[in-house]
Amino acid sequence: MGRPIALLLPGQGSQHAGMATGLYRTDPVFTAAMDEVFAEMGEEGARLLADWLAPHPLVDLDHVTRSQPLLFAIDYALGQVVLDWGLRPEALLGHSIGEVAGATLAGVFSLSDAVRLVLDRIHRLADGPPGGMLAVAARREDVTAFLDGDVVIGAVNAPRQIVLAGPDPALALVEKSLVAQNFTCRRVPSLSPFHSPVLEPATAGAAEAIAKLPVSPPRITLYSCYTAVPLTHEDVADPNYWARQPAAAIWFWPALNAMLAERDVVLVETGPGQGLAQLARRHPAVRAGRSTVVSLLPGRPGPGDLDRSALADAAKSLGVRGRTDLPGM
């Protein structure tokens, strides 16, 4: 493979029932990494594992206490698979909780400390206000006049793909108004209004807890989906940077722009679904063929063999050779 790789690590909204379970107990590296995360979580990890594998989980997988830690764990575990293949990413770009997984892969946090950050975050947000997120096929300026009742633009994922966030019923009323004007809208799977200021009270005290965690400079260039530029040691050492993430807006497209302006790469979506891959394929650098996109997992839920065949196909696309233990190969 000629081009270097960069990892895209998805966040809230990419979760679905059965995500990546086809790799558990079949891919040894993935399984070991997932088990390590669950072990670091203690009793919480045991409950998380049970709900992840259960056909009927006790806690909704869209709830913050399930979606966030599972997305972190799967992103991290798939990152370990890529590293085990002998590939060394030049850059990482995580979306929402995916940035914490990226920071762990980049050596900013140890896995133990990253898990502490994730658990602290979900425990605070579990008591936060209910709400949701709404993907809208529109530009920021197209929807500004519709925003009302604490509903804000929570993410800019592409030039004509934004996400609104806020509490219900205000978000539902904004959705109704947009649909009436023929905007294409889709609810993002979430029971919390991520990337909305209404979550700020729930994050109070997080910076003090995060300040106790040791951090190191990123060993891999880590692009921020909150500032759209690479993170420095000073950035990652600021507890407030991590504490405000659940309530801060995401600038995925500007961050992707910055990454692809610096290098031509193979963008590898390292997490559930293919949502970030679909966004990346809209980028001029990808459409022109200067950069390409590969996803490690299938784009839709299905039986476990879909996970295994998708990972095997990705390995072949990335030029992984001489491995006999790849699932599906």
Side-chain angles (χ1 to χ4, degrees):
M1 186 186 67
R3 274 177 287 206
I5 69 168
L7 304 188
L8 302 177
L9 301 120
Q12 186 72 32
S14 60
Q15 77 278 0
H16 60 80
M19 56 181 174
T21 53
L23 302 182
Y24 191 64
R25 302 194 181 105
T26 61
D27 184 280
V29 175
F30 179 82
T31 302
M34 292 294 292
D35 284 344
E36 189 177 6
V37 175
F38 293 135
E40 290 287 353
M41 293 182 177
E43 292 183 2
E44 189 110 9
R47 292 190 290 269
L48 188 64
L49 171 61
D51 269 0
W52 178 46
L53 298 179
H56 304 290
L58 294 177
V59 179
D60 193 321
L61 290 182
D62 292 339
H63 192 269
V64 63
T65 60
R66 291 296 179 265
S67 59
Q68 294 277 292
L70 280 175
L71 288 168
F72 166 82
I74 293 169
D75 287 3
Y76 169 79
L78 286 174
Q80 293 299 321
V81 169
V82 171
L83 295 175
D84 185 69
W85 287 348
L87 303 176
R88 294 295 176 264
E90 282 202 357
L92 305 168
L93 172 57
H95 195 288
S96 191
I97 192 67
E99 187 166 298
V100 181
T104 311
L105 293 168
V108 172
F109 298 110
S110 69
L111 178 61
S112 177
D113 289 332
V115 167
R116 290 174 62 189
L117 186 158
V118 172
L119 290 180
D120 180 80
R121 179 176 292 184
I122 66 174
H123 291 157
R124 294 177 190 278
L125 297 181
D127 294 327
M133 297 187 290
L134 180 72
V136 185
R139 300 170 299 177
R140 295 169 59 201
E141 55 267 31
D142 294 334
V143 303
T144 302
F146 294 89
L147 303 182
D148 192 23
D150 291 326
V151 177
V152 300
I153 296 173
V156 176
N157 286 335
R160 291 183 177 273
Q161 186 64 58
I162 62 171
V163 175
L164 305 184
D168 276 320
L171 184 62
L173 292 174
V174 171
E175 179 181 10
K176 183 177 180 181
S177 298
L178 288 168
V179 171
Q181 294 299 315
N182 297 316
F183 285 92
T184 300
C185 303
R186 177 184 59 83
R187 278 290 180 133
V188 176
S190 179
L191 301 178
S192 299
F194 282 104
H195 312 301
S196 163
V198 299
L199 281 186
E200 286 178 357
T203 66
E208 290 77 6
I210 296 169
K212 300 174 183 177
L213 305 179
V215 298
S216 300
R219 295 195 296 262
I220 306 170
T221 302
L222 181 63
Y223 282 83
S224 169
C225 66
Y226 297 94
T227 65
V229 295
L231 291 170
T232 65
H233 189 196
E234 182 179 356
D235 293 328
V236 300
D238 179 6
N240 289 300
Y241 174 79
W242 304 101
R244 66 174 179 261
Q245 285 185 345
I250 283 179
W251 302 92
F252 175 78
W253 189 259
L256 183 64
N257 263 335
M259 176 191 286
L260 295 181
E262 293 292 326
R263 54 181 66 77
D264 296 330
V265 294
V266 179
L267 295 163
V268 182
E269 183 161 16
T270 311
Q274 297 183 4
L276 297 187
Q278 291 173 4
L279 294 172
R281 289 190 179 99
R282 305 182 191 181
H283 196 278
V286 176
R287 286 162 45 199
R290 298 192 302 274
S291 291
T292 58
V293 182
V294 172
S295 296
L296 297 188
L297 290 176
R300 66 184 191 282
D305 59 355
L306 281 183
D307 293 334
R308 294 186 286 273
S309 62
L311 189 65
D313 289 344
K316 292 175 184 175
S317 296
L318 294 169
V320 177
R321 296 288 181 262
R323 289 290 302 274
T324 60
D325 59 339
L326 291 175
M329 296 186 72

